[in-house]
């Protein structure tokens, strides 16, 4: 590991939540920072999410109960989970590794690590939103898990027990209590779980862009360009961009989200075991004066409906597929039909449906730390669907590791050497 010194130049590849957070944390420590991204800040994966900052996100999808759920999931008709069989055959190594981590010891390590990262990120988010002038976009009313049946509620017992074990503030609501909290929801839900330890924002992309603006105000740079080649030199790194420019850096941070796999293979020959949890969203307008005060997750129908600046954002469940496969909107259409049962909804927005890929490693933990055998290379990637909730903590941990500081949280569960070798 090559330790950084204050004043050195760091190029961060990727201007999503994670990349911008890394840049901010490094700039706050006196590093000269340039962020490189072909689309600009908050324009790709970080744009399309429910905007929830919740400790309940410590639950990975590959928990020990996954094995009992697997036969039903493999039918491919679940509202919250779909998959493309040919794509999964192509990624069979990742799939087997993902399933092999659905064990109690791994689950305990992952939940503890993610809880620490999410809690730390929440604290940093609050400070940064105040400093960047976007605190008005944050709501602190928590979010709701909705259950259409008693059986559905019982099926969530393992998750509720896990949240209780970590001290996550929740409350079980009966139908009338849910009505008091969200009076415009239709009375189709038997119970709800109110996750109180949660905040949300009304535009995740705008929050990321505000952080990037704050970075530039502090002397950092954001360059809209794509890094095409990365070469090690005697003094650091040389990067070439698609615009024909050349940058020199002492350190490079790869925070390219789902594009990290292709980039690292092209530059270093690494075979990163990364799968893609694809997700969709579309915006709908409320009807009949309906108001939603906080994001809600319909557990039976597998969608989240979240109040946003653009209206109500409907996000789909998970679709396992190749990153660049064409869109398949059937899951999102089914989610819309279910959402219209839950809340009076009007027209769709004129904006097209959005599709993004969530980069997922086999143990559902991100990779944060030094690239094995590549001095001055740092990795911050693989945040599955919770990059918005974990970005600031990732940036702080990476900066602490890079500058040799004491770390706020344990870096061991996130070490790149879990899956990469020099």
């Amino acid at each position: 590991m090559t330790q950084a010194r204050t004043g050195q130049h760091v190029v961060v590849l990727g201007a999503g939540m994670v990349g911008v957070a890394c840049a901010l944390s490094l700039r706050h420590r006196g590093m000269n920072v340039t962020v490189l991204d072909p689309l600009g800040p908050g324009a790709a994966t970080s744009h399309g999410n429910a905007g929830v900052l919740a400790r309940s996100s410590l639950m990975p999808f590959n928990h020990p109960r996954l094995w009992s759920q697997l036969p039903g999931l493999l039918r491919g008709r679940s509202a919250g989970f779909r998959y493309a069989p040919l794509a999964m055959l192509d990624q069979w190594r990742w799939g087997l590794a993902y399933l092999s981590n659905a064990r109690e010891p791994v689950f305990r390590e992952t939940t503890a690590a993610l809880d620490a990262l999410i809690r730390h990120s929440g604290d940093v988010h609050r400070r940064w939103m105040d400093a960047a002038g976007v605190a008005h976009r944050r709501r602190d009313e928590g979010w709701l898990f909705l259950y259409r049946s008693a059986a559905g509620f019982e099926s969530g017992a393992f998750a509720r027990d896990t949240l209780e074990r970590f001290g996550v503030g929740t409350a079980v609501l009966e139908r009338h209590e849910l009505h008091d909290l969200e009076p415009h929801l239709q009375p189709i839900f038997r119970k709800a779980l109110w996750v109180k330890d949660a905040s949300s924002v009304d535009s995740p992309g705008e929050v990321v862009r505000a952080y990037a603006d704050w970075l530039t105000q502090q002397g950092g740079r954001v360059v809209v360009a794509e890094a095409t080649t990365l070469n090690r030199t005697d003094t650091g790194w040389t990067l070439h961009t698609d615009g024909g420019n050349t940058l020199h850096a002492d350190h490079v941070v790869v925070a390219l989200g789902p594009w990290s796999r292709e980039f690292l293979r092209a530059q270093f020959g690494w075979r990163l075991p990364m799968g893609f949890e694809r997700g969709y969203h579309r915006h709908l307008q409320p009807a009949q004066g309906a108001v939603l005060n906080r994001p809600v997750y319909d557990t039976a129908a597998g969608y989240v409906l979240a109040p946003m600046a653009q209206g109500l954002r409907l996000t789909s469940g998970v679709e396992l597929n190749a990153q660049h496969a064409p869109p398949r909107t059937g899951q999102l259409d089914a989610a819309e039909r279910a959402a219209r049962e839950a809340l009076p909804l009007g027209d769709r927005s004129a904006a097209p449906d959005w599709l993004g890929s969530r980069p997922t490693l086999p143990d559902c933990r991100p990779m944060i730390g030094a690239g094995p055998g590549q001095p001055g290379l740092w990795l911050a990637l693989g945040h599955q669907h919770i990059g918005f909730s974990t970005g600031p903590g990732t940036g702080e941990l990476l900066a602490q590791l890079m500058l040799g500081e004491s770390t706020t949280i344990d870096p061991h569960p996130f070490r790149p050497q879990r899956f990469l070798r020099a």
Side-chain angles (χ1 to χ4, degrees):
M1 180 189 301
T2 300
Q3 191 168 304
R5 300 187 306 276
T6 299
Q8 288 187 317
H9 185 211
V10 182
V11 172
V12 178
L13 304 182
M17 180 71 260
V18 173
V20 170
C22 290
L24 273 172
S25 295
L26 290 165
R27 184 62 192 145
H28 291 163
R29 289 164 171 79
M31 306 298 285
N32 294 314
V33 180
T34 300
V35 181
L36 213 61
D37 191 289
L39 298 177
T45 313
S46 293
H47 170 74
N49 60 75
V52 177
L53 307 167
R55 288 188 62 201
S56 54
S57 298
L58 63 87
M59 280 290 297
F61 190 76
N62 60 344
H63 52 75
R65 298 298 199 281
L66 176 62
W67 290 102
S68 63
Q69 300 169 1
L70 199 58
L73 293 173
L74 289 176
R75 295 189 187 102
R77 296 192 294 269
S78 166
F81 175 80
R82 304 282 176 92
Y83 69 99
L86 290 179
M88 291 301 94
L89 285 174
D90 188 54
Q91 299 182 48
W92 65 270
R93 288 186 178 87
W94 173 84
L96 288 179
Y98 187 83
L99 289 173
S100 73
N101 280 283
R103 295 177 287 114
E104 187 67 30
V106 180
F107 174 75
R108 288 189 172 271
E109 183 178 13
T110 294
T111 50
L114 291 182
D115 184 55
L117 187 59
I118 290 167
R119 283 189 287 111
H120 185 35
S121 294
D123 293 339
V124 179
H125 256 309
R126 287 180 177 276
R127 296 200 307 269
W128 286 4
M129 284 185 192
D130 290 342
V134 286
H136 64 283
R137 293 194 175 277
R138 188 182 68 239
R139 299 174 298 254
D140 297 320
E141 292 89 356
W143 74 316
L144 292 167
F145 287 31
L146 306 176
Y147 300 93
R148 296 190 177 216
S149 67
F153 180 77
E154 289 306 316
S155 70
F158 177 70
R160 291 192 298 275
D161 290 345
T162 302
L163 298 183
E164 183 178 0
R165 178 160 58 87
F166 280 93
V168 179
T170 64
V172 175
L173 305 179
E174 300 298 332
R175 181 176 284 165
H176 69 279
E177 294 171 310
L178 174 60
H179 176 77
D180 292 342
L181 210 59
E182 292 290 352
H184 293 103
L185 284 176
Q186 299 296 321
I188 62 174
F189 300 106
R190 292 282 300 273
K191 286 181 178 289
L193 183 72
W194 182 12
V195 181
K196 297 182 177 182
D197 277 351
S199 300
S200 58
V201 301
D202 69 358
S203 181
E206 288 302 324
V207 171
V208 175
R209 285 184 279 276
Y211 286 171
D213 289 342
W214 184 39
L215 171 68
T216 60
Q217 292 165 15
Q218 297 174 82
R221 287 202 308 154
V222 177
V223 178
V224 179
E226 180 178 2
T228 54
T229 57
L230 178 61
N231 297 305
R232 178 75 189 163
T233 68
D234 291 339
T235 57
W237 296 92
T238 298
L239 298 93
H240 300 282
T241 74
D242 55 352
N245 295 318
T246 301
L247 287 80
H248 302 281
D250 299 289
H251 299 266
V252 173
V253 178
V254 178
L256 289 168
W259 293 274
S260 300
R261 189 178 74 170
E262 292 178 1
F263 183 82
L264 292 175
R265 184 172 182 177
Q267 304 302 321
F268 305 107
W270 285 339
R271 292 181 177 271
L272 189 66
M274 178 180 284
F276 303 104
E277 298 182 23
R278 302 205 323 171
Y280 300 79
H281 85 223
R282 68 173 49 134
H283 291 118
L284 304 159
Q285 296 305 313
Q288 304 170 25
V291 174
L292 198 61
N293 298 304
R294 54 185 61 72
V296 299
Y297 169 40
D298 186 339
T299 58
Y303 67 84
V304 173
L305 196 62
M308 292 280 173
Q310 304 94 328
L312 293 172
R313 177 173 292 179
L314 176 72
T315 66
S316 71
V318 169
E319 176 198 273
L320 290 183
N321 204 339
Q323 181 186 2
H324 303 297
R328 306 195 312 174
T329 61
Q331 190 177 22
L332 186 60
D333 294 337
E336 181 180 339
R337 290 191 294 271
R340 290 185 179 278
E341 298 171 355
L343 191 78
L345 295 172
D347 295 335
R348 297 179 186 176
S349 165
D353 294 340
W354 180 89
L355 166 62
S357 297
R358 317 295 184 195
T360 303
L361 299 173
D363 57 8
C364 287
R365 300 195 296 265
M367 190 176 281
I368 309 169
Q374 297 291 339
L377 181 73
W378 302 84
L379 306 177
L381 51 93
H383 290 72
Q384 34 135 342
H385 62 278
I386 57 172
F388 192 71
S389 290
T390 55
T394 295
E396 286 291 285
L397 178 58
L398 186 97
Q400 290 165 349
L401 292 169
M402 189 182 292
L403 282 106
E405 301 174 4
S406 297
T407 58
T408 306
I409 65 174
D410 182 7
H412 183 76
F414 307 108
R415 65 198 184 283
Q417 290 82 356
R418 302 178 345 257
F419 302 115
L420 296 178
R421 296 290 183 269

